[in-house]
Amino acid sequence: MSIVIEADRLTKYYGSIQAVKNVSFKVFKGEIYALLGPNGAGKTTTIKMLSTLLKPTSGDAYILGYSIIRDSLNVRKVIGVVPQDLTADDELTGFYNVYIQARLYGYPHGIALERAMRALEIVGLADSANRRVSSYSGGMRRRLEIAMSLVHDPEVLLLDEPTLGLDVQTRRLMWNLIRDFKKQGISMILTTHYMEEAEALADRVAIIDYGEIKAEGSPDELKRKVKGDRVYIELYSEDDAQNLQLEISKLGVDVKLDSSIVIVTAPSASDILPHIVGILAGKKIKSINIVKPNLEEVFLDITGKRLREDSFDAFKYRVFTHKIR
Ligand SMILES: Nc1ncnc2c1ncn2[C@@H]1O[C@H](COP(=O)(O)OP(=O)(O)OP(=O)(O)O)[C@@H](O)[C@H]1O
Ligand SMILES: [Mg+2]
């Protein structure tokens, strides 16, 4: 299989903060490659370097053989970028935003018109093309950004959190759109902090935390790294959780603590549960959950923390700050 994107020890410092550390990976033709990681992991910084908006402090990357440092013009011709921060102009219509993008790529008026309309049709916005973006829903705005990234028929798409802040139903529509791009042979990198998204879409996933790739593989390969089922027991205080951890560890199983939650890993939850229930008798328990291996568990195993589905919604925050600016 041919390599479409190759990152070679990409590194970025912002002052003394090292946001991306020696990140190397390959993406093959037609693949969806996901960068899965929490807030601040370095996903956007990586995408910005790949899209030539940000110069790496060291390292390089090649897209269809073009260096992002030495050949940035050619890189820009072959990639489409859907940034995390929305770029469309609220005061203009959806159509006009996409049309301007086509003109920026150098297409003359007539061709730019055609390309803009086609891109809007692909993302299902043809009917709303002449409405102002300020009247669009969050999902429509995301689709508009995608239309803007498609006007020049890119072979590679870089999607930075394409479903951030969208409701479940709209997210699924977006997933179908991304799957259609894959069928057309477009190679993609998408970043996400939703593990179901990485699991649903990605051929391969890189787990990124503190600017480093901690693990890489297909969702199944990664899940095989988690040894067994997990039992989550939530208590009312951290002290109670600590005591419980001590008692359960005497069963000879792996027990971890995440504030007031005790996490037991065992080859089979049904075998260990009767013993745990014996220990729990008479104690006050907030909740108990049994979880089969999934990417969230892989993330916990590798980084020692959870990939929380945030209470802080970065997308809504950004739209808000955009509006008051
Ligand atoms: N312009 C900047 N100046 C200084 N530090 C920055 C800048 N942009 C990002 N950082 C820092 O670099 C690190 C990586 O940020 P980045 O935006 O790449 O993460 P991310 O994985 O995209 O996070 P999120 O899920 O919140 O979008 C963070 O510690 C962030 O605070
Ligand atoms: Mg980001």
Side-chain angles (χ1 to χ4, degrees):
M1 250 193 303
S2 60
I3 297 170
V4 174
I5 304 170
E6 180 165 9
D8 178 20
R9 288 165 293 168
L10 277 180
T11 297
K12 181 70 193 178
Y13 278 88
Y14 294 111
S16 61
I17 300 172
Q18 197 178 4
V20 173
K21 304 174 191 170
N22 270 317
V23 161
S24 297
F25 58 82
K26 294 185 177 103
V27 180
F28 298 98
K29 172 114 188 88
E31 234 189 349
I32 300 182
Y33 187 85
L35 295 174
L36 176 70
N39 291 135
K43 304 181 295 294
T44 296
T45 304
T46 304
I47 294 289
K48 281 188 175 162
M49 289 191 281
L50 293 173
S51 50
T52 78
L53 296 175
L54 205 61
K55 211 169 172 302
T57 309
S58 64
D60 200 348
Y62 306 89
I63 302 188
L64 295 175
Y66 300 121
S67 155
I68 56 165
I69 298 169
R70 284 173 284 109
D71 257 338
S72 57
L73 269 178
N74 280 320
V75 169
R76 286 177 193 205
K77 282 183 192 155
V78 297
I79 63 169
V81 184
V82 179
Q84 180 172 338
D85 293 311
L86 304 176
T87 57
D89 189 327
D90 257 17
E91 299 302 315
L92 302 177
T93 63
F95 171 79
Y96 207 64
N97 272 286
V98 186
Y99 169 81
I100 290 173
Q101 195 73 17
R103 291 305 303 261
L104 289 174
Y105 275 104
Y107 296 110
H109 172 70
I111 293 175
L113 280 178
E114 275 169 32
R115 284 190 169 257
M117 264 335 279
R118 208 185 62 215
L120 286 159
E121 271 161 26
I122 291 172
V123 301
L125 282 180
D127 290 344
S128 324
N130 292 321
R131 272 168 53 187
R132 274 192 195 198
V133 177
S134 52
S135 75
Y136 280 14
S137 68
M140 290 164 82
R141 281 166 187 258
R142 287 270 150 198
R143 282 187 282 147
L144 179 64
E145 296 289 331
I146 294 183
M148 289 162 70
S149 78
L150 290 176
V151 283
H152 58 302
D153 289 329
E155 286 181 59
V156 174
L157 269 184
L158 307 175
L159 305 161
D160 196 2
E161 307 249 15
T163 69
L164 186 65
L166 301 183
D167 60 70
V168 175
Q169 210 183 346
T170 314
R171 183 175 299 163
R172 281 177 201 272
L173 290 176
M174 198 66 99
W175 288 0
N176 287 337
L177 195 59
I178 292 170
R179 289 188 183 113
D180 283 346
F181 295 154
K182 180 180 162 70
K183 281 189 204 133
Q184 291 158 29
I186 299 179
S187 314
M188 281 171 271
I189 295 184
L190 74 88
T191 76
T192 184
H193 60 268
Y194 300 120
M195 59 108 184
E196 322 89 274
E197 184 156 294
E199 198 154 350
L201 292 178
D203 298 297
R204 284 186 305 134
V205 178
I207 290 184
I208 180 166
D209 193 28
Y210 293 115
E212 278 179 303
I213 293 185
K214 308 279 187 186
E216 187 197 58
S218 69
D220 281 341
E221 281 164 1
L222 288 172
K223 280 188 273 180
R224 279 199 289 275
K225 288 184 197 274
V226 179
K227 301 205 170 27
D229 300 341
R230 287 236 160 84
V231 182
Y232 287 85
I233 309 158
E234 189 177 3
L235 297 148
Y236 284 93
S237 78
E238 287 187 28
D239 284 349
D240 289 351
Q242 256 173 26
N243 292 334
L244 185 65
Q245 181 191 26
L246 204 68
E247 281 189 72
I248 293 178
S249 65
K250 290 177 189 153
L251 297 173
V253 288
D254 174 51
V255 198
K256 287 195 180 77
L257 209 59
D258 180 8
S259 58
S260 59
I261 303 173
V262 176
I263 306 163
V264 184
T265 308
S268 155
S270 47
D271 288 349
I272 194 75
L273 214 53
H275 302 285
I276 294 179
V277 170
I279 294 172
L280 293 179
K283 293 190 170 61
K284 281 188 104 180
I285 307 297
K286 202 166 177 184
S287 69
I288 179 157
N289 267 311
I290 298 165
V291 179
K292 297 281 173 193
N294 59 33
L295 285 185
E296 177 86 39
E297 303 304 308
V298 178
F299 191 83
L300 178 69
D301 246 25
I302 290 169
T303 67
K305 64 182 187 221
R306 303 189 64 75
L307 231 183
R308 287 175 210 283
E309 305 257 302
D310 281 327
S311 48
F312 173 74
D313 189 328
F315 174 75
K316 285 189 184 134
Y317 174 73
R318 285 195 172 95
V319 169
F320 173 69
T321 49
H322 193 70
K323 276 200 176 130
I324 58 173
R325 241 189 270 143

